[in-house]
Amino acid sequence: MSDDEPTPRAPAPPRRGLAWLFVHPEERRLRAGFRVALTLGALVLLSLVAQLLTPLLQRGEGSAAAVRLTLGPLFVVGAVAAAAVVGVSRRLLDRRPLSTLGLRASGGFALDLAFGTALGLALIFGVLTAEDALGWARYGELPLTDGSPPRLVYALATVVIYAAVAFYEELVFRAYLIPNVAHGLRGRWLSGGAAVAAATILTSAVFGLAHALNPHASPIATLNIVMAGVMLATGYLLTGELALPIGLHLGWNLAQNLFGMPVSGQRMFHFGA
């Protein structure tokens, strides 16, 4: 190569404007971290609105059972609103079909939902049986048919409330957060499986922290909820559907209520209240 020949130069790197920080150049959508932040921000705002409305609905003298009948519709509306937020985020921010949220209507979904509910009931029954055998606690049956109207009516209202809770918590923490967090973590240092495992742990930690302000919360209680999050996430990852974790979540909470255990540190929705 002669001295008068131009020195070869490396190709110039692509120009990166400010938009590159927010938008993935190949996927042409917001990066996962920003998608998650926007979605969680909208859900937190929705939760704050619900907290402002709740005291207004609880004005006046009323029993815990009456409060349940009042709050039941609010929980259902809140679950529908949360599902709408996640659905809009899935379509407009993630640019993915709603079918990827694991809520396909099918016979298999109903079967997994029933199995998950039965499993949640069985697990809590096993816990209380062990505690009773070891003398750590004593549990008795709660009356469901006395009172006016019968407590069974309030029990059904409680089922509606916890079904709504199980639905929107699993939709948010498992179906939405795990895939997005895993997508954000996947790259040079984490393979697909490792990213999913890390996302499971991180989202379960967020799930636990979201319950850290519950009545009587403690570090041990928060850790227990983190582990419960991992258990629920396992059902989602094994099936790719939300039926199993929703059922497990619902059965777990209902069994705790049925035998007088505190759920998330509170007893307001107990069947026998």
Side-chain angles (χ1 to χ4, degrees):
M1 180 182 296
S2 62
D3 293 337
D4 60 347
E5 290 181 356
T7 303
R9 296 179 180 179
R15 298 181 62 182
R16 293 179 175 180
L18 185 60
W20 178 86
L21 296 174
F22 302 95
V23 179
H24 196 288
E26 297 177 0
E27 299 176 358
R28 298 184 181 276
R29 60 175 180 165
L30 283 175
R31 294 185 182 275
F34 294 109
R35 300 198 307 269
V36 168
L38 286 173
T39 304
L40 289 183
L43 291 170
V44 168
L45 181 61
L46 183 64
S47 176
L48 292 176
V49 171
Q51 290 180 24
L52 291 174
L53 291 177
T54 300
L56 298 177
L57 296 175
Q58 290 180 295
R59 284 180 177 177
E61 297 296 329
S63 65
V67 169
R68 255 174 287 175
L69 294 180
T70 304
L71 293 183
L74 179 62
F75 273 85
V76 173
V77 171
V80 172
V85 170
V86 171
V88 169
S89 181
R90 195 64 165 168
R91 289 295 296 149
L92 299 184
L93 297 181
D94 296 347
R95 297 186 180 179
R96 296 292 185 270
L98 296 180
S99 60
T100 58
L101 290 172
L103 289 171
R104 302 172 206 169
S106 65
F109 188 95
L111 184 61
D112 284 350
L113 182 66
F115 174 77
T117 304
L119 180 60
L121 291 167
L123 289 174
I124 289 297
F125 184 76
V127 169
L128 69 89
T129 300
E131 289 183 342
D132 188 79
L134 294 171
W136 293 353
R138 289 288 182 267
Y139 300 97
E141 296 180 0
L142 295 177
L144 298 179
T145 57
D146 59 344
S148 179
R151 284 179 175 163
L152 181 59
V153 175
Y154 302 132
L156 293 176
T158 302
V159 172
V160 170
I161 289 172
Y162 278 100
V165 170
F167 170 74
Y168 72 73
E169 287 192 352
E170 295 311 305
L171 181 65
V172 172
F173 288 99
R174 257 57 74 178
Y176 185 79
L177 284 183
I178 288 180
N180 274 295
V181 173
H183 180 269
L185 294 175
R186 189 178 296 115
R188 180 179 301 179
W189 305 110
L190 288 178
S191 64
V196 170
T200 298
I201 295 173
L202 287 174
T203 56
S204 297
V206 174
F207 182 63
L209 291 175
H211 293 76
L213 296 180
N214 289 335
H216 312 295
S218 67
I220 294 298
T222 301
L223 179 60
N224 286 338
I225 294 178
V226 172
M227 292 189 292
V230 174
M231 176 182 67
L232 293 165
T234 301
Y236 168 68
L237 295 173
L238 287 176
T239 63
E241 301 281 349
L242 279 181
L244 183 57
I246 288 175
L248 180 56
H249 197 148
L250 174 62
W252 185 280
N253 284 347
L254 290 180
Q256 287 179 309
N257 274 301
L258 183 61
F259 293 101
M261 298 178 178
V263 180
S264 296
Q266 59 81 30
R267 297 175 181 270
M268 181 172 65
F269 299 132
H270 279 171
F271 291 158

